[in-house]
């Protein structure tokens, strides 16, 4: 199944505009585009957010119009627990926006090393790793009982997700270096930007871009696209790994907050 031509053109236009902005900023202003800095409410930063929002809305409108021939999005009723999660996230986002508008310095400080946002993000990543580990064990039980090859593949996929998320969580807290007072090996001192016991700070800009882009694709873009495309695919056991609209509703509000990466232009 091929994606509609209009959606591809809108996506390509969005990417070209962002690339053009990067080139203009580097050539005319000498701005390092993916640099970290304290968030500030300035006209230029607000213009960044407006451009990003406009490009995102254009892409959504184009895709929705082109996908209309597939019929209405495939939705399901949410449980009470899922609804509470979806409500809690916008409330938290609104509170963060209020804090940001009142005191950007405090907002920035809370997102720094060993503060509440870093530990919360790590704990949530570890929780996701546990959920995938439980899913892998469930698929393994099904594979042994039914000799189902697809169940073995599903178990392997779940275990892989669990391992990747565990590594990401440990990288986030530098493999608990500061908790146990572990010194950074000499081999990493000269390579690591923050002189910590982790790998992602060896190439900080690339790994952060990869992390944020991957999070946006998996938590926001993929659930939205899958609402329309799921009618044309039969995934069987792998249906459990497809993100639902509830993931989109819970994660989309948080995509607007970049903390110290306020200068980055990306979909919100």
């Amino acid at each position: 199944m091929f994606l509609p031509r209009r959606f591809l053109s809108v996506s390509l236009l969005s990417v070209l505009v962002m690339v053009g902005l990067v080139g203009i900023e580097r050539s005319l202003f000498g701005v390092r585009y993916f640099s970290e800095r304290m968030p500030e409410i300035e006209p230029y930063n607000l213009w960044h957010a407006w451009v990003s929002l406009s490009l995102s809305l254009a892409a959504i409108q184009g895709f929705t119009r082109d996908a209309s021939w597939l019929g209405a999005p495939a939705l399901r009723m949410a449980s009470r627990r899922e609804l509470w999660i979806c409500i809690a996230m916008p409330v938290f986002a609104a509170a963060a926006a209020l804090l940001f508008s009142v005191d950007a310095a405090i907002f920035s400080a809370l997102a720094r090393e060993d503060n509440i946002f870093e530990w919360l993000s790590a704990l949530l990543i570890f929780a996701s790793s546990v959920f995938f580990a439980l899913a892998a064990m469930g698929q393994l039980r099904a594979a042994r009982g039914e000799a189902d090859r697809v169940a073995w593949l599903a178990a392997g996929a779940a275990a892989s997700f669990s391992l990747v998320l565990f590594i990401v969580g440990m990288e986030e807290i530098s493999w608990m270096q500061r908790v146990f007072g572990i010194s950074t090996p000499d081999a990493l001192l000269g390579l690591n930007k923050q002189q910590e016991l982790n790998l992602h700070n060896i190439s900080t800009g690339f790994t952060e871009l990869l992390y944020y882009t991957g999070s946006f694709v998996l938590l926001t873009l993929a659930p939205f696209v899958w609402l329309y495309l799921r009618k044309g695919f039969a995934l069987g056991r792998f249906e459990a790994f497809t993100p639902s609209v509830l993931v989109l509703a819970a994660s989309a509000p948080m995509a607007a907050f970049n903390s110290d990466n306020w200068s980055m232009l990306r979909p919100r």
Side-chain angles (χ1 to χ4, degrees), residues 58-197:
I60 291 173
Q61 183 183 20
F63 177 78
T64 304
R65 183 178 300 172
D66 289 339
S68 60
W69 65 276
L70 291 171
L75 301 172
R76 67 174 177 83
M77 294 296 293
S79 67
R80 181 175 298 181
R81 179 181 300 177
E82 290 168 335
L83 285 175
W84 276 114
I85 294 175
C86 293
I87 292 172
M89 294 310 295
V91 170
F92 180 78
L98 178 62
L99 175 61
F100 174 73
S101 62
V102 173
D103 195 327
I106 294 179
F107 181 90
S108 177
L110 290 176
R112 294 187 179 278
E113 298 288 342
D114 293 330
N115 220 315
I116 183 172
F117 287 158
E118 182 186 39
W119 278 103
L120 280 177
S121 62
L123 290 175
L124 290 174
I125 293 172
F126 287 136
S128 300
S129 176
V130 171
F131 290 147
F132 274 110
L134 293 175
M137 289 188 289
Q139 294 293 337
L140 282 175
R141 286 193 294 268
R144 292 174 179 174
E146 304 173 9
D148 189 347
R149 181 179 298 178
V150 176
W152 284 104
L153 292 175
S160 299
F161 277 121
S162 178
L163 178 61
V164 169
L165 288 168
F166 176 77
I167 293 175
V168 171
M170 292 299 287
E171 279 281 303
E172 180 71 12
I173 57 175
S174 299
W175 299 86
M176 303 190 75
Q177 176 185 21
R178 289 178 293 276
V179 175
F180 295 109
I182 302 173
S183 59
T184 304
D186 294 338
L188 284 177
L189 286 176
L191 299 175
N192 193 287
K193 180 181 177 181
Q194 298 182 359
Q195 297 184 333
E196 295 176 332
L197 186 62

Side-chain angles (χ1 to χ4, degrees), residues 1-2 41 43 59 65 72 84 87-88 91 116 151 180 200 223 229 235-236 259 261 263:
M1 180 181 295
F2 296 98
I41 302 178
R65 183 178 300 172
W84 276 114
I87 292 172
V91 170
I116 183 172
F180 295 109
H200 70 273
L229 299 186
L235 298 180
S259 185
N261 291 311
S263 59

Side-chain angles (χ1 to χ4, degrees), residues 228-247:
Y228 294 90
L229 299 186
R230 65 184 303 174
K231 292 184 177 181
F233 296 91
L235 298 180
R237 288 185 178 274
F238 286 95
E239 179 76 22
F241 298 102
T242 58
S244 71
V245 68
L246 298 169
V247 174

